[in-house]
Amino acid sequence: MPPRPYILAETNWKAVKETRFDVAVLPWGATEAHNYHMPYATDVIQCDHVAAESARIAWEAGARVAVLPTIPFGVNTGQSDIPITPNMNPGTQLAVLSDVAASLAQQGVSKLVILNGHGANDFRLMIRELQPRTSVFLCTMNWWTVVDPKPHFVPGDHAGDLETSVMMHIAPDLLLPLAEAGDGSQRRPRVAALREGWAWAPRRWTQVTRDTGSGDPAAASAEKGKLFFELVTKKIGGFLVELAAADVSDLYER
Ligand SMILES: [Zn+2]
């Protein structure tokens, strides 16, 4: 496959020096157990594919978008007793993000989208802290919430129907057969407010889950994954086109 001009890791100085990039996309995953049947890099692989396909759509519509390499480490403080789970604390993520944004500012890329692929990463507070200190416009999204997943998948937020279906579409060779997967059931909190969800505390993963999954993957299929992936990337691609053309100093209607 020839180098894709919108994937920074594949393109080259010859192409980059001739291009005025409007938007950089920084996909950010995690490396962690995903039930028994999916690879540790699931969040990274999903980020890679969602970012690449969204950028392809935007590029073909004329937007100059550069996808940076996916950062493979996420916030995994709740999985410290699961081998082998490299944690990157939110404070470290902020430092990384600050350096990336500072580089882009020096190099004339004025907009940065953080494409999040892991539930415990949350870039909103980091953006609130960093935005006043950088000229680069910052925004973020969780790719799996771009399109409402409820009509498509059995509920679950880790290694369940949604993620398994998407992986069956983009990286089927890395999955074990569904018969090898656990049912992704969770233990319910004893405290009512935590059970009902209006009080929040991070989950201690080994206490809450049985197989590291949260959500039953049994109903997953490549067809569902393909449909959802296409809906999500089409929407993000359209957003990248709109953002590339937007004047970020004049974002609101009069
Ligand atoms: Zn995941």
Side-chain angles (χ1 to χ4, degrees), residues 32 34 42-43 46 117 158 163:
E32 60 175 342
H34 272 75
T42 291
D43 293 352
Q46 291 175 144
H158 184 66
E163 282 197 293

Side-chain angles (χ1 to χ4, degrees), residues 147-238:
V147 172
D148 182 7
K150 283 193 210 83
H152 300 272
F153 302 110
V154 174
D157 66 354
H158 184 66
D161 190 12
L162 188 162
E163 282 197 293
T164 303
S165 295
V166 170
M167 286 294 280
M168 283 174 161
H169 169 52
I170 61 178
D173 295 347
L174 295 177
L175 266 56
L176 299 179
L178 268 180
E180 309 271 342
D183 66 7
S185 60
Q186 286 199 63
R187 298 186 181 93
R188 279 157 45 93
R190 295 184 205 279
V191 176
L194 294 173
R195 200 165 57 238
E196 291 162 11
W198 51 273
W200 178 87
R203 287 169 285 182
R204 189 80 234 158
W205 218 253
T206 48
Q207 292 175 11
V208 172
T209 66
R210 296 180 169 88
D211 45 38
T212 78
S214 166
D216 191 351
S221 75
E223 292 70 33
K224 291 200 300 184
K226 180 173 190 284
L227 173 65
F228 191 68
F229 180 83
E230 287 174 355
L231 291 171
V232 167
T233 51
K234 193 170 169 220
K235 212 164 155 186
I236 298 175

Side-chain angles (χ1 to χ4, degrees), residues 17-42:
K17 76 190 210 352
E18 300 300 332
T19 309
R20 221 191 132 275
F21 286 95
D22 300 306
V23 179
V25 177
L26 180 61
W28 207 311
T31 303
E32 60 175 342
H34 272 75
N35 200 323
Y36 295 117
H37 62 297
M38 287 206 290
Y40 267 56
T42 291

Side-chain angles (χ1 to χ4, degrees), residues 13 22 46 48 55-56 62 83 135 149 155 171 187 189 205 244 252:
W13 174 232
D22 300 306
Q46 291 175 144
D48 284 346
R56 184 191 68 77
S135 61
R187 298 186 181 93
W205 218 253
Y252 300 96

